Amino acid sequence: MSGSLYLALVHHPVRARDGAIVTTSVTNLDVHDLGRLARTYDARACFIVTPIAAQRALVGEILAHWRDTSSARRIPDRKEALSVVRTCASIEEAKVAVAEESGGAPRTLATAAREIDGARVLGFDAARAELARSTTLLLFGTGHGLADDVLLAADALLPPIRSGGYNHLSVRTAAAITLDRLVGEREP
Ligand code: SAM
């Protein structure tokens, strides 16, 4: 993969069960799992996006713990995974950070468990090809999913991961499946 891949775990704007736009809380499990996924699939960074400064500070404490304490020495693999995790206040801020270090604005690729009228859907195979030649910021939501505005503003939306009628994957699981489809090794 010659393109650069960045992940964003978005805590605002996301939907609540009733469709209202809310801000969800960061969970420690998501920070660890998305960091491990990002490192495993060679993403340049995983942005934990939240407008709440106290939540960004909390993530900062988690990252410092795994960077500077005995935990880092005890589990160096986890230190390496969390080394690619960063915080920012918004998707726009993540886009600016990516542009500053990669020399150009990233293409944004969003994900959702549902179809969105008006979104530009890009199949996994086409997205895989595009990732190989562009800088991409892959957006994952929390709560009940990314706000429609985010999905419609993205350069493209991946199809929902589906296998039948039941569709309630965690973001950690959905991110793993998505990343493997986009950049995972293929059998020869
Ligand atoms: N119902 C929500 C939606 O429509 O996105 C799923 C919320 S899920 C707890 C949080 C995030 O996981 C979603 O914003 C999306 O990034 C990802 N996700 C969950 N299920 C998915 C699926 N079937 N296909 C693609 N992404 C999914």
Side-chain angles (χ1 to χ4, degrees):
M1 180 179 86
S2 59
S4 296
L5 174 63
Y6 293 79
L7 311 185
L9 181 66
V10 179
H11 296 82
H12 180 86
V14 295
R15 291 155 36 103
R17 185 183 302 275
D18 62 0
I21 299 304
V22 296
T23 303
T24 55
S25 294
V26 176
T27 64
N28 185 41
L29 188 58
D30 285 350
V31 173
H32 281 259
D33 273 15
L34 272 286
R36 292 165 79 167
L37 277 171
R39 185 63 194 87
T40 299
Y41 287 97
D42 278 334
R44 296 279 298 276
C46 175
F47 293 98
I48 306 297
V49 179
T50 175
I52 303 174
Q55 296 265 300
R56 294 196 301 274
L58 173 66
V59 175
E61 288 172 23
I62 296 169
L63 300 181
H65 174 83
W66 286 96
R67 187 185 55 231
D68 306 331
T69 71
S70 60
S71 296
R73 293 185 291 279
R74 189 162 40 84
I75 313 179
D77 291 343
R78 187 64 59 87
K79 172 182 179 181
E80 182 173 353
L82 291 174
S83 70
V84 300
V85 177
R86 303 184 209 169
T87 60
C88 65
S90 66
I91 294 172
E92 278 313 307
E93 192 175 300
K95 288 166 69 173
V96 168
V98 172
E100 284 172 354
E101 70 183 48
S102 63
R107 293 172 47 72
T108 51
L109 188 55
T111 60
R114 57 201 166 91
E115 269 97 11
I116 309 294
D117 291 341
R120 177 181 168 247
V121 177
L122 186 64
F124 282 97
D125 289 344
R128 187 180 176 99
E130 282 197 12
L131 254 70
R133 57 176 180 263
S134 63
T135 298
T136 301
L137 179 62
L138 183 56
L139 305 174
F140 295 101
T142 51
H144 285 262
L146 290 163
D148 286 10
D149 289 353
V150 172
L151 299 176
L152 292 169
D155 291 303
L157 173 65
L158 286 171
I161 299 163
R162 268 217 193 98
S163 170
Y166 183 84
N167 184 351
H168 296 281
L169 295 172
S170 71
V171 64
R172 296 174 302 281
T173 307
I177 295 168
T178 301
L179 282 165
D180 200 64
R181 288 185 181 177
L182 293 179
V183 292
E185 286 183 6
R186 287 288 178 268
E187 290 180 12

